[in-house]
Amino acid sequence: MAPAAGAAPYEERALFVRKATGLVRGWSVRDAFIYSAISINFVTLGLYAFSFANFIPKGSLFWAAVLSGAYLVFQAITYASLIAAMPRAGGDYVWISRTLGGGIGFVLAACGWWFILWHWVPIYANILNIMVLGPLSAIVGWDHGVHFWGRSAGLFTSSMIVAVMASVLVGLGIRAYARFQKWCFYGGVIGLLVMAILLLAHSKGGFISAFNAQSHDVYHTTGDAYAATAKAGAGSYASFASFHFGEIILLIPFLFFFNLWSNWGATLYGEVRGASDFRKNIYAMGGALLATTAVAAIFLGLFAKTFGWNWYQASNAAYWAGTGPLGVFPYPGTLVSFFTGSSALQFIIVGLLSLWFFGWVGTVFLSSTRVVFATAFDRVLPEIAAKVSSRGVPYVALSLMLIPSIPISYFYAYNTKFNSWTFDATLVIAITFLGSAISAAILPWRRPDIYNASPIAKYRVAGVPLITAAATLFTAILVYAIVKWFQDSIYGVNFRNSEYYMAVLYGVAIAIYVGSRIYRRTQGMDLKMVYGEIPSE
Amino acid sequence: MRIFFATDVHGSETCWRKFLNSGQHYDADAIILGGDMTGKALVPVIHDRDDAWHATLLENRESLVGEEAVAAFEDAVIRRGYYPFRTTPEEVRELHENEAKWHALFSEHMLGTVERWMEIADEKLAGTGIACYVCPGNDDQLEVDDVISKAKHVNLAEGRIVELDGYQMASSGWSNPTPWETYREEDEPQLAERIGAVVGQITAPPERTIFSLHCPPYASNLDDAPQLTAEMDLKEAGRATVPVGSKAVREAIEAFQPALGLHGHIHEARGSARIGNTLCINPGSSYEQGMLLGAVVELDGKKKVKRFMLTSG
């Protein structure tokens, strides 16, 4: 029978759901997208990572960003699949421990989400200095500040600012932090729009004039600073979009500092809904990755148009060589603000762009505290590690992040050797992601019960489970990057001391796990119980 | 004494079977299920023609041909915690238009499943010497209690004190109000009264007492649930959480200080917390994956319970 005029046509009902706790309608892809976009972060991570591109002068940064961004969609699919198969599980630690075993799960998660993030505190601080505090000090004419933030004491001070800010944001709770991040995202997007408009509206000649004038006013350079910068960092750089595949892929391990983090975003998955939530997670993570990649590609194009591609590469090369006339990181936010000539407007532009930093800063501790909690609940760490105050602040887990980060920040700031070891920061996390990728690839065989009960069991590519196909491809690029990091000194991580240092971190994690297992066994509580599956028949 | 506690299996037969095996697996003297044992949804398996059927699970529409395929699909539905039923397009439409009718059908399937579960339990637990206690939760209709009461080896714990090898356990599956207006929920004063009535029967000292209260104590971190909008969407993509536990439960724990508090209700809030001397545990739930989250607790009669472990079996 045809529906009555004006009545909605009957749609066959696939599910009759009664009233029951936890049945929610949905969640916003936009919200999840924002968290992923802040985690990948074109400004704080992208602009910093791009500054290393000159070390592979024949590689096209544009193509490397585009190709690696597109390829890492497999990462988004891998993680969306893991979330769909084991929602509410708590991330890499649980996925790896439930698939590869508790010991491997603990060691990889402890190193990748806990120990190594101590080292990210001074890295965040360095970015705070070169993109926020240094430029703002220069703009307001506080020359002492510019020098201070560039020195060891300044780096240690900003490390403490980062540690305190991250602690406060985590202490405020995820709800407040999520809101704060959202406002930072919107403000930061306005900053990027202003930056794009200024780059579009001005010619290279206009930039040269503005740069020479403003770098003189703000950084007290003399003469033709543009030409001096080009000379200081001169090199035979490939043109903006030249396509030398072999050189392009050499840039990818550098770019992982920027675009490997889309999985820090969406973690939610519906209870009764299925496939649509799986797709939403891919849209949120993959969407943020692709959108950020597109933003990066556009801005790199704008840098080439307005700064001149060779000059952009040279300015970064000069910075890392310590020969640039500017004497500071050639932060594109500051360079673009030079178009205005007004200190107030320059301050506003850099200030708006700095929201990308402030929205991001809490991430240095937030996920780590969750891992500490998960391992404490599994009794690998003592119960006290999961203790919270009456206001819900996870003060012990926070202390486990905050306290070690202080001496590490100190060594980072005052010891150049130690500083170089922290390039491992990306490598160690990549190894943890590799554990999750392998777990995902073998999930259909290793835990068929979990896999078959999930909505992703339906998705196959040429007869291979989608999760396996995506995770295998993600594994391949991770293995490539890890091999390059270990093999090639250009990435700055294959020092013997750096390898020893990493080995110590993994050794500490193994010692904690083994020690805990022995201790629990003396209590009559074998840690094996945590992960061992109960027979269902 | 070693106990194993799990909760919120929500109709997952895999989890129920694992629960019944958990005593032997963890070498526990008693196993306790904290509530919300019944499923949330009916899944129609719709007959098209001859041996062709179709059905949808987790938004994946399946075309099923032959008895074997239909049975395999129904097994997947049961593992997930829902109730499959074979039907026709006409009947699905009729059910869609007649809420009372599908609610009756739901009750029939749900109670039938609980009955079958009790039979499985009687078979599996007979002769093991493992005590089994079940206390329905706020999502379980009241009729469930009668079905459990009839089981030989499963003890209904709701609203009473049970003796557990020198310990006393006070149980209730009722909760404070939820946005879903479920079967066993009431305002905090009434809930306080209900809990008070059970706790008032305790004769054991606090260190030999267990509270098995489905709803976790307020602001204990065991009650952090994703915040919802007025339209029942998750705020901030589920990252914003709010405490939704019961103040009555918290006050009861603070006042009595039992050795152990066993809770559930909020699947995402897996963890443990201390309220004074009381160790409170919410093992969480991953029933959709057929993973039985639980807690193994060793009770030694001391003021503070120190030996426990959250498990994922």
Side-chain angles (χ1 to χ4, degrees), chain A residues 426-437:
Chain A
T426 304
L427 186 152
V428 173
I429 298 178
I431 290 173
T432 303
F433 288 0
L434 180 64
S436 285

Side-chain angles (χ1 to χ4, degrees), chain A residues 202-285:
Chain A
H202 290 86
S203 64
K204 187 174 167 185
F207 173 69
I208 293 169
S209 307
F211 179 78
N212 283 337
Q214 290 300 311
S215 60
H216 172 72
D217 288 353
V218 177
Y219 289 107
H220 315 300
T221 57
T222 53
D224 187 344
Y226 183 91
T229 303
K231 191 177 171 192
S236 48
Y237 303 115
S239 63
F240 172 70
S242 64
F243 198 89
H244 303 291
F245 187 72
E247 300 290 319
I248 289 166
I249 60 167
L250 291 176
L251 282 168
I252 289 175
F254 278 130
L255 288 184
F256 273 4
F257 184 82
F258 153 57
N259 58 12
L260 195 60
W261 321 118
S262 67
N263 56 343
W264 285 50
T267 53
L268 240 272
Y269 184 74
E271 193 165 297
V272 171
R273 296 177 316 279
S276 65
D277 270 13
F278 169 58
R279 287 194 294 268
K280 278 166 97 172
N281 264 325
I282 294 179
Y283 297 154
M285 290 189 279

Side-chain angles (χ1 to χ4, degrees), chain B residues 219-282:
Chain B
S220 59
N221 267 22
L222 307 179
D223 65 330
D224 279 348
Q227 195 179 15
L228 300 176
T229 65
E231 291 78 34
M232 303 290 274
D233 288 334
L234 293 165
K235 266 192 170 177
E236 316 289 357
R239 283 167 39 111
T241 57
V242 281
V244 296
S246 161
K247 289 177 179 164
V249 169
R250 185 173 188 112
E251 282 161 13
I253 291 169
E254 284 172 347
F256 194 89
Q257 290 285 284
L260 181 63
L262 301 172
H263 312 279
H265 194 41
I266 307 301
H267 303 179
E268 300 86 348
R270 175 177 167 86
S272 63
R274 296 265 174 191
I275 297 178
N277 288 332
T278 306
L279 170 70
C280 296
I281 292 175
N282 174 3

Side-chain angles (χ1 to χ4, degrees), chain A residues 288-449:
Chain A
L289 173 70
L290 293 178
T292 309
T293 300
V295 167
I298 290 166
F299 271 94
L300 288 174
L302 290 171
F303 295 166
K305 175 194 100 57
T306 312
F307 300 157
W309 187 246
N310 268 355
W311 186 86
Y312 176 64
Q313 291 274 60
S315 66
N316 287 316
Y319 170 70
W320 287 112
T323 55
L326 217 53
V328 296
F329 179 68
Y331 174 45
T334 314
L335 302 183
V336 169
S337 77
F338 283 172
F339 285 123
T340 70
S342 149
S343 297
L345 286 175
Q346 288 172 355
F347 193 92
I348 290 168
I349 291 168
V350 174
L352 278 172
L353 289 170
S354 74
L355 293 174
W356 285 99
F357 179 86
F358 293 115
W360 172 67
V361 66
T363 57
V364 73
F365 286 170
L366 187 67
S367 303
S368 320
T369 55
R370 295 293 172 268
V371 170
V372 169
F373 266 50
T375 53
F377 293 151
D378 280 357
R379 309 295 280 153
V380 181
L381 293 181
E383 183 190 349
I384 194 171
K387 231 175 157 50
V388 294
S389 73
S390 56
R391 296 183 63 192
V393 179
Y395 62 94
V396 180
L398 259 180
S399 304
L400 289 173
M401 293 307 301
L402 178 63
I403 294 169
S405 75
I406 296 170
I408 281 171
S409 298
Y410 181 85
F411 289 126
Y412 182 99
Y414 289 98
N415 185 321
T416 48
K417 270 190 185 169
F418 187 86
N419 181 309
S420 68
W421 300 350
T422 58
F423 285 117
D424 293 338
T426 304
L427 186 152
V428 173
I429 298 178
I431 290 173
T432 303
F433 288 0
L434 180 64
S436 285
I438 292 169
S439 302
I442 64 173
L443 182 75
W445 297 276
R446 185 83 175 165
R447 298 301 300 265
D449 48 335

